[in-house]
Amino acid sequence: MNGTRSPTPPLGHYGLRAALLLGAFGLRALQLGRESLWRDEIDSIRFALAPWPAPLENFAKAGENGPLYHLILRGWLSLGGTSDLALRMFSTLCGMLLLAVIYALGRRLLGPRAAGWATVLAALSPALVWYAGEGKMYALQPLLIALALLAAVRRRWVWFGLAALAAMFVHVLSPLFLPVAIVLVWATRRPGERFPWPALALGAAAALPLAIPLLPVVLRGADFGHPVVAADEVVARLLSLWSFGVARPSDVGLPDWVADLAGLIGAGLAAWSAARLASRPATALLAWLAIPAGLLMLLSSRVPLFEPRYLLWSASGLYLLLGALLAGLRGPIRAILAGALGIMCGVGLYAQAAAPIRPDLRGAAATVRAGAGPNDAI
């Protein structure tokens, strides 16, 4: 110790962070009651509040998706009730915590400036905003996977195993993140450090309760109601979700290719960022985008399972790469690029807010109530 103290960060830094968090919370909170619950959200309540043996028995059922989410949600709803706001507020909390984890992971991999820009992009991300306002596991799953990856980068193996296990019982496709963890550990390995295969293998063993019962299903093939999606459409739909969100541009008078263009811009800028960095962390972030998508395409060749939201958690890798690009640029180029990305996010957010996306079950229920007679069977 030399007796010197590190300089205190300017108060403005804390003010900017507080403003960012308040703005991010506002974007997520504004949508909580705008649309009615839809079928999957109603199922979330139904599964969470099922009689006691069912939530626990679901942990041992092959192919059961989200038993841990429903168990956590049971406790949450017991405190806040079963209103739209109560159900969705849990996802909002997870979405806000994800911003903190993205910042911590970005700071570790890329430095504080890149982490700050990445957090701004994640705060404005139409996809993350949308799923932080939906009563499903698609806000909790990205949080748990990001926590597991942060623990792996920090070599906190107990926390890695716990977060990995939790993620796998929150969504059945969460094991797709394990190769990303391996690449990130390789990217952050110090000179002379032995590769921690035993620790990573222990984390991978958390997937066995899911993988063993599902392996026969994958080998013989199955149909769970998902359409077969070509590889180019998988890539296009993922990039569109990560960059533009869940809305169709045509719902607000724009051509639908706007979402595809946003996805191409996001992918191109991510590739540019990785090329500029030319580092192992940049390679790992590209792997975060590519490997899970490739594995899901391979899995879907036997059992069609693709939905873009299943890989929402990979979007964090895109925002980290874009954050690194903005941190590395200077002057007007950075201002123009930041403005363009902000406009792209703004258009996606507007499209999600302007046109209804979920089925209006609330309106349908009101219509039935209004027209029902005293002896009608409903």
Coordinates of all heavy atoms in Angstrom, one line a residue, residues 298-349:
L298 N -29.0 -27.0 -35.9 CA -28.7 -28.4 -36.0 C -29.8 -29.2 -35.2 O -30.2 -30.2 -35.7 CB -27.3 -28.6 -35.4 CG -26.8 -30.1 -35.4 CD1 -26.6 -30.6 -36.8 CD2 -25.5 -30.2 -34.7
L299 N -30.1 -28.8 -34.0 CA -31.1 -29.5 -33.3 C -32.5 -29.5 -34.0 O -33.2 -30.5 -34.0 CB -31.3 -28.8 -31.9 CG -32.4 -29.3 -30.9 CD1 -32.1 -30.8 -30.6 CD2 -32.4 -28.5 -29.7
S300 N -32.8 -28.3 -34.6 CA -34.1 -28.2 -35.3 C -34.1 -29.1 -36.6 O -35.2 -29.3 -37.1 CB -34.4 -26.8 -35.7 OG -34.6 -26.0 -34.5
S301 N -33.0 -29.5 -37.1 CA -33.0 -30.5 -38.2 C -33.7 -31.8 -37.8 O -34.1 -32.5 -38.7 CB -31.6 -30.7 -38.7 OG -30.8 -31.4 -37.8
R302 N -33.7 -32.1 -36.5 CA -34.3 -33.3 -36.0 C -35.6 -33.0 -35.3 O -36.6 -33.8 -35.5 CB -33.4 -34.0 -35.0 CG -32.1 -34.5 -35.6 CD -32.3 -35.6 -36.6 NE -33.0 -36.7 -36.1 CZ -33.5 -37.7 -36.8 NH1 -33.5 -37.6 -38.1 NH2 -34.2 -38.7 -36.3
V303 N -35.7 -32.0 -34.6 CA -36.9 -31.6 -33.8 C -37.1 -30.1 -34.0 O -36.4 -29.3 -33.4 CB -36.7 -31.9 -32.3 CG1 -38.0 -31.5 -31.6 CG2 -36.3 -33.3 -32.1
P304 N -37.9 -29.7 -35.0 CA -38.1 -28.2 -35.2 C -38.5 -27.5 -33.9 O -39.5 -27.8 -33.3 CB -39.3 -28.2 -36.2 CG -39.2 -29.5 -36.9 CD -38.8 -30.5 -35.9
L305 N -37.7 -26.5 -33.5 CA -37.8 -25.9 -32.2 C -37.6 -24.4 -32.3 O -37.6 -23.7 -31.3 CB -36.9 -26.4 -31.2 CG -37.2 -27.8 -30.5 CD1 -36.1 -28.3 -29.7 CD2 -38.5 -27.6 -29.7
F306 N -37.3 -23.8 -33.5 CA -36.8 -22.5 -33.6 C -37.9 -21.5 -33.3 O -39.0 -21.4 -33.9 CB -36.2 -22.2 -34.9 CG -35.8 -20.7 -35.1 CD1 -34.7 -20.3 -34.4 CD2 -36.5 -19.9 -35.8 CE1 -34.3 -18.9 -34.5 CE2 -36.1 -18.5 -35.9 CZ -35.0 -18.1 -35.3
E307 N -37.6 -20.6 -32.3 CA -38.3 -19.3 -32.1 C -37.3 -18.3 -31.8 O -36.4 -18.6 -30.9 CB -39.4 -19.4 -31.0 CG -40.6 -20.2 -31.3 CD -41.5 -19.4 -32.3 OE1 -41.3 -18.2 -32.5 OE2 -42.4 -20.1 -32.9
P308 N -37.3 -17.1 -32.3 CA -36.2 -16.1 -32.0 C -36.0 -15.9 -30.6 O -34.9 -15.7 -30.1 CB -36.7 -14.9 -32.8 CG -37.5 -15.4 -33.9 CD -38.2 -16.6 -33.4
R309 N -37.1 -15.8 -29.8 CA -37.0 -15.5 -28.4 C -36.2 -16.5 -27.6 O -35.7 -16.3 -26.5 CB -38.4 -15.3 -27.8 CG -39.3 -16.6 -27.8 CD -40.6 -16.3 -27.1 NE -41.5 -17.5 -27.1 CZ -42.3 -17.8 -28.1 NH1 -42.4 -17.1 -29.2 NH2 -43.1 -18.9 -28.0
Y310 N -36.1 -17.8 -28.1 CA -35.3 -18.8 -27.4 C -33.9 -18.4 -27.3 O -33.2 -19.0 -26.5 CB -35.5 -20.1 -28.1 CG -36.9 -20.7 -28.1 CD1 -37.2 -21.8 -28.9 CD2 -37.9 -20.2 -27.3 CE1 -38.5 -22.4 -28.9 CE2 -39.1 -20.8 -27.2 CZ -39.5 -21.8 -28.1 OH -40.7 -22.4 -28.0
L311 N -33.4 -17.5 -28.2 CA -32.0 -17.1 -28.2 C -31.9 -15.6 -27.9 O -31.0 -14.9 -28.3 CB -31.3 -17.4 -29.5 CG -31.1 -18.9 -29.8 CD1 -30.3 -19.1 -31.1 CD2 -30.4 -19.6 -28.6
L312 N -32.9 -15.1 -27.2 CA -32.9 -13.7 -26.8 C -31.6 -13.4 -26.0 O -31.0 -12.3 -26.1 CB -34.1 -13.3 -26.0 CG -34.2 -11.9 -25.4 CD1 -34.2 -10.9 -26.5 CD2 -35.3 -11.8 -24.5
W313 N -31.2 -14.3 -25.2 CA -30.0 -14.1 -24.3 C -28.7 -13.9 -25.1 O -27.8 -13.3 -24.6 CB -29.8 -15.3 -23.4 CG -29.8 -16.6 -24.1 CD1 -30.8 -17.5 -24.3 CD2 -28.6 -17.3 -24.5 NE1 -30.4 -18.6 -24.9 CE2 -29.0 -18.6 -25.1 CE3 -27.2 -17.0 -24.5 CZ2 -28.1 -19.5 -25.6 CZ3 -26.4 -17.9 -25.1 CH2 -26.8 -19.1 -25.6
S314 N -28.7 -14.3 -26.4 CA -27.5 -14.0 -27.2 C -27.4 -12.5 -27.6 O -26.3 -12.1 -28.0 CB -27.5 -14.8 -28.5 OG -27.1 -16.2 -28.2
A315 N -28.5 -11.8 -27.5 CA -28.4 -10.4 -27.9 C -27.4 -9.6 -27.1 O -26.9 -8.6 -27.5 CB -29.8 -9.8 -27.7
S316 N -27.2 -10.0 -25.8 CA -26.2 -9.3 -25.0 C -24.8 -9.3 -25.6 O -24.1 -8.3 -25.5 CB -26.1 -9.9 -23.6 OG -27.4 -9.9 -22.9
G317 N -24.4 -10.3 -26.3 CA -23.2 -10.3 -27.0 C -23.1 -9.3 -28.1 O -22.1 -8.6 -28.3
L318 N -24.2 -9.1 -28.8 CA -24.3 -8.1 -29.9 C -24.1 -6.7 -29.3 O -23.3 -5.9 -29.8 CB -25.6 -8.2 -30.6 CG -25.9 -7.1 -31.7 CD1 -24.9 -7.2 -32.8 CD2 -27.3 -7.2 -32.2
Y319 N -24.8 -6.4 -28.2 CA -24.7 -5.1 -27.6 C -23.3 -4.8 -27.0 O -22.8 -3.7 -27.1 CB -25.7 -4.9 -26.5 CG -27.2 -5.2 -26.9 CD1 -28.0 -5.9 -26.1 CD2 -27.6 -4.9 -28.2 CE1 -29.3 -6.2 -26.6 CE2 -28.9 -5.2 -28.7 CZ -29.7 -5.9 -27.8 OH -31.0 -6.2 -28.3
L320 N -22.6 -5.8 -26.5 CA -21.3 -5.7 -26.1 C -20.3 -5.3 -27.2 O -19.4 -4.5 -27.1 CB -20.8 -6.9 -25.3 CG -21.4 -7.1 -23.9 CD1 -21.1 -8.5 -23.4 CD2 -20.9 -6.1 -22.9
L321 N -20.5 -6.0 -28.4 CA -19.7 -5.7 -29.5 C -19.9 -4.3 -30.0 O -19.0 -3.5 -30.4 CB -19.9 -6.7 -30.6 CG -19.2 -8.0 -30.5 CD1 -19.7 -9.0 -31.5 CD2 -17.7 -7.9 -30.7
L322 N -21.2 -3.9 -30.1 CA -21.5 -2.5 -30.6 C -21.0 -1.5 -29.6 O -20.5 -0.4 -30.0 CB -23.0 -2.4 -30.7 CG -23.7 -3.3 -31.8 CD1 -25.2 -3.0 -31.9 CD2 -23.0 -3.0 -33.2
G323 N -21.1 -1.8 -28.3 CA -20.5 -0.9 -27.3 C -19.0 -0.7 -27.4 O -18.5 0.4 -27.3
A324 N -18.3 -1.8 -27.7 CA -16.9 -1.7 -27.9 C -16.6 -0.9 -29.2 O -15.6 -0.1 -29.2 CB -16.3 -3.1 -28.1
L325 N -17.4 -1.0 -30.2 CA -17.2 -0.2 -31.4 C -17.4 1.3 -31.1 O -16.5 2.1 -31.5 CB -18.2 -0.6 -32.5 CG -18.1 0.1 -33.8 CD1 -16.7 0.0 -34.5 CD2 -19.2 -0.4 -34.8
L326 N -18.4 1.6 -30.4 CA -18.7 3.1 -30.1 C -17.6 3.6 -29.2 O -17.1 4.7 -29.3 CB -20.0 3.2 -29.4 CG -21.3 3.0 -30.3 CD1 -22.5 3.0 -29.4 CD2 -21.3 4.1 -31.3
A327 N -17.1 2.8 -28.2 CA -16.0 3.2 -27.3 C -14.7 3.5 -28.1 O -13.9 4.3 -27.7 CB -15.8 2.2 -26.2
G328 N -14.5 2.7 -29.2 CA -13.2 2.9 -29.9 C -13.2 4.0 -31.0 O -12.2 4.3 -31.5
L329 N -14.4 4.5 -31.3 CA -14.5 5.5 -32.3 C -14.4 6.9 -31.6 O -14.6 7.0 -30.4 CB -15.8 5.4 -33.1 CG -16.0 4.2 -33.9 CD1 -17.3 4.1 -34.6 CD2 -14.9 4.1 -35.0
R330 N -14.1 7.9 -32.4 CA -14.0 9.3 -31.8 C -14.7 10.3 -32.7 O -14.9 10.0 -33.9 CB -12.5 9.6 -31.7 CG -11.7 8.8 -30.7 CD -12.1 9.2 -29.3 NE -11.4 8.4 -28.3 CZ -11.7 7.3 -27.8 NH1 -12.8 6.7 -28.3 NH2 -10.9 6.7 -26.9
G331 N -15.0 11.4 -32.2 CA -15.5 12.6 -32.9 C -16.8 12.3 -33.6 O -17.7 11.6 -33.1
P332 N -17.0 13.0 -34.8 CA -18.3 12.9 -35.5 C -18.7 11.5 -35.9 O -19.9 11.2 -35.9 CB -18.0 13.7 -36.8 CG -16.9 14.6 -36.4 CD -16.0 13.8 -35.5
I333 N -17.7 10.6 -36.2 CA -18.1 9.2 -36.6 C -18.8 8.6 -35.5 O -19.9 7.9 -35.7 CB -16.8 8.4 -37.0 CG1 -16.2 9.1 -38.2 CG2 -17.2 7.0 -37.3 CD1 -14.9 8.4 -38.7
R334 N -18.3 8.7 -34.2 CA -19.0 8.1 -33.1 C -20.4 8.7 -32.9 O -21.4 8.0 -32.6 CB -18.2 8.2 -31.8 CG -18.9 7.5 -30.6 CD -18.0 7.3 -29.5 NE -17.5 8.5 -28.9 CZ -16.6 8.5 -27.8 NH1 -16.1 7.4 -27.4 NH2 -16.3 9.6 -27.3
A335 N -20.5 10.0 -33.0 CA -21.8 10.7 -32.8 C -22.8 10.3 -33.8 O -24.0 10.0 -33.5 CB -21.6 12.2 -32.9
I336 N -22.4 10.1 -35.1 CA -23.3 9.7 -36.1 C -23.7 8.3 -35.9 O -24.9 8.0 -36.0 CB -22.6 9.9 -37.5 CG1 -22.4 11.4 -37.8 CG2 -23.4 9.2 -38.6 CD1 -21.5 11.6 -39.1
L337 N -22.8 7.4 -35.6 CA -23.2 6.0 -35.4 C -24.0 5.8 -34.2 O -25.0 5.1 -34.2 CB -21.9 5.2 -35.2 CG -22.1 3.7 -35.0 CD1 -22.9 3.1 -36.2 CD2 -20.7 3.0 -34.9
A338 N -23.7 6.5 -33.1 CA -24.6 6.4 -31.9 C -26.0 7.0 -32.2 O -27.0 6.4 -31.7 CB -23.9 7.2 -30.7
G339 N -26.0 8.1 -32.9 CA -27.4 8.6 -33.3 C -28.1 7.6 -34.2 O -29.3 7.4 -34.0
A340 N -27.5 7.0 -35.1 CA -28.1 6.0 -36.0 C -28.7 4.8 -35.2 O -29.8 4.4 -35.4 CB -27.2 5.5 -37.1
L341 N -27.8 4.3 -34.3 CA -28.3 3.2 -33.5 C -29.5 3.6 -32.6 O -30.4 2.9 -32.3 CB -27.1 2.7 -32.6 CG -26.0 1.9 -33.4 CD1 -24.9 1.6 -32.5 CD2 -26.6 0.6 -34.0
G342 N -29.4 4.8 -32.0 CA -30.5 5.3 -31.2 C -31.8 5.5 -32.0 O -32.9 5.1 -31.5
I343 N -31.7 5.9 -33.2 CA -32.9 6.0 -34.1 C -33.4 4.7 -34.4 O -34.7 4.4 -34.3 CB -32.5 6.8 -35.4 CG1 -32.2 8.3 -35.1 CG2 -33.7 6.7 -36.4 CD1 -31.7 9.0 -36.3
M344 N -32.5 3.7 -34.7 CA -33.0 2.4 -35.0 C -33.7 1.8 -33.8 O -34.8 1.2 -33.9 CB -31.8 1.5 -35.3 CG -32.1 0.1 -35.9 SD -30.6 -0.6 -36.7 CE -29.7 -1.0 -35.3
C345 N -33.2 1.9 -32.6 CA -33.9 1.5 -31.4 C -35.2 2.2 -31.2 O -36.2 1.6 -30.8 CB -33.0 1.7 -30.1 SG -31.6 0.6 -30.1
G346 N -35.2 3.5 -31.4 CA -36.4 4.3 -31.2 C -37.5 3.9 -32.2 O -38.7 3.8 -31.8
V347 N -37.2 3.6 -33.4 CA -38.2 3.1 -34.4 C -38.8 1.8 -33.9 O -40.0 1.5 -34.0 CB -37.6 3.0 -35.8 CG1 -38.6 2.4 -36.7 CG2 -37.2 4.4 -36.3
G348 N -37.9 0.9 -33.5 CA -38.4 -0.4 -33.0 C -39.3 -0.3 -31.8 O -40.3 -0.9 -31.6
L349 N -38.9 0.6 -30.8 CA -39.7 0.8 -29.6 C -41.1 1.4 -30.0 O -42.1 1.1 -29.5 CB -39.0 1.7 -28.7 CG -37.7 1.1 -28.0 CD1 -36.9 2.2 -27.3 CD2 -38.2 0.1 -27.0

